[in-house]
Amino acid sequence: MRVPRPFVAYLRVYEPLSAFPPASRDRLRHMAENSPLDRADVGVHEQLMWLKSQEVGAATRLPGERPDGSPLPTRDVMAVRAESGELLVCPLDLRARSAAAVVGFLSTAANPLREATLGESADRLRHKAGTVLADMPGGAVHVVSTTWTVPLPWFVLVQPSERVVTGEGATRTVYWLIPMRTARKRVQRAFELAEATFGESGPTKVLQDTGRWLAHFHEDSMVELDYGGLVQLMADDDIDADTSAEDVNAILDAIEQPDPGAVAERFERLREFWSELAVRERMQ
């Protein structure tokens, strides 16, 4: 029986091997060519890696570490081919992503929750997480994720015609894969429109953060928006009826015209589609 995937969606960046430190390129190439992770399996793999890290070792141990807390060599990667045929690699960066999650938790959680969860380990884990992030090659992780939904600003990266749907049932995937140069142009356009229309908060902040994140990577990279485990919550009819990319891009066009009526109509369609997933989250 196949283990259900976590209800997580992803933005990923696949970089050329030349973008990585020379000492790691041969290892990355070997893994990418011989044992890359599949989109339909990567969510469960990440979940198991996190659980494994909690079985042995101190409370400050992160996924991708030895029991003594030292980092393991990168072993978990995804891979795609560019239009040119060049091999592009996306390390999962589990250790750094977990460190970022720790920093976020410690920055936002109330004191009682921090004490109940980490106790006396909180300060040590905060220091360790900060060190891990400071040592991150390139200054950014290759994967960002979100649970139960897809942030609507992410859809400015893609066009409806670029969507790929593969497999069925437990192995079904829904994703978009686009060149980095295209992604950066689309995010910049959307950011400028959002800033002029909505100010500096809300979707504008998400777009600004996304643009800054993309700027860390090689210009010959590919960017992927992957529904991940969210497809388990969608029937075939739901996927067929999903016009999120079309609606978000139509909103940008309507803002440029301007056409307030079209903006409101598209926002309502998006709200109706994604609110059904939000209801399922509350039922868990």
Side-chain angles (χ1 to χ4, degrees):
M1 181 178 178
R2 191 180 180 89
V3 177
R5 287 177 272 174
F7 300 121
V8 179
Y10 305 91
L11 272 184
R12 301 187 183 99
V13 172
Y14 297 81
E15 285 195 285
L17 288 168
S18 60
F20 295 92
S24 65
R25 292 174 191 170
D26 287 344
R27 184 176 69 252
L28 289 171
R29 181 187 298 277
H30 177 78
M31 291 183 297
E33 291 179 341
N34 295 281
S35 56
L37 290 164
D38 186 83
R39 291 182 186 88
D41 299 325
V42 68
V44 172
H45 177 80
E46 291 185 347
Q47 185 180 59
L48 292 176
M49 286 287 291
W50 183 87
L51 292 172
K52 184 178 180 180
S53 73
Q54 304 307 300
E55 291 176 354
V56 181
T60 57
R61 187 181 177 194
L62 299 172
E65 292 183 341
R66 299 182 177 91
D68 64 2
S70 61
L72 289 164
T74 301
R75 296 185 297 184
D76 307 298
V77 304
M78 300 177 69
V80 298
R81 292 282 179 181
E83 293 181 359
S84 64
E86 182 180 10
L87 181 67
L88 305 179
V89 177
C90 175
L92 298 191
D93 294 335
L94 285 174
R95 185 170 183 255
R97 287 165 59 198
S98 297
V102 166
V103 171
F105 172 77
L106 292 174
S107 300
T108 59
N111 284 333
L113 180 57
R114 289 200 300 268
E115 287 295 322
T117 305
L118 298 171
E120 297 179 356
S121 301
D123 288 340
R124 285 187 290 124
L125 190 54
R126 185 195 303 273
H127 175 75
K128 177 178 181 177
T131 300
V132 169
L133 292 175
D135 292 340
M136 183 69 193
V141 295
H142 289 76
V143 184
V144 293
S145 60
T146 181
T147 57
W148 290 98
T149 190
V150 177
L152 295 182
W154 285 8
F155 286 107
V156 307
L157 292 163
V158 299
Q159 292 290 330
S161 61
E162 297 162 343
R163 189 177 77 160
V164 179
V165 181
T166 66
E168 58 184 17
T171 63
R172 182 169 51 194
T173 62
V174 177
Y175 68 94
W176 291 256
L177 188 64
I178 62 171
M180 174 63 77
R181 291 180 177 86
T182 300
R184 287 175 176 168
K185 289 178 181 178
R186 290 173 177 174
V187 168
Q188 183 61 31
R189 176 210 177 206
F191 169 73
E192 293 172 358
L193 289 171
E195 185 178 40
T197 306
F198 306 114
E200 298 181 354
S201 60
T204 308
K205 183 64 166 61
V206 175
L207 291 166
Q208 183 179 50
D209 290 345
T210 302
R212 288 174 175 172
W213 176 65
L214 293 176
H216 283 90
F217 302 103
H218 195 285
E219 62 181 7
D220 291 330
S221 302
M222 299 287 285
V223 181
E224 180 176 79
L225 168 55
D226 179 9
Y227 275 12
L230 298 187
V231 295
Q232 299 166 120
L233 304 174
M234 301 176 182
D236 290 341
D237 289 346
D238 295 327
I239 292 177
D240 291 341
D242 177 17
T243 58
S244 299
E246 176 185 343
D247 292 334
V248 168
N249 281 280
I251 287 171
L252 295 179
D253 292 340
I255 290 173
E256 279 186 321
Q257 290 180 358
D259 185 354
V263 171
E265 179 183 350
R266 295 287 184 166
F267 265 125
E268 180 61 21
R269 288 176 59 174
L270 289 163
R271 187 195 66 79
E272 289 180 0
F273 184 84
W274 290 101
S275 64
E276 293 184 13
L277 296 188
V279 168
R280 298 189 188 191
E281 178 184 12
R282 291 194 293 269
M283 293 173 63
Q284 297 299 311

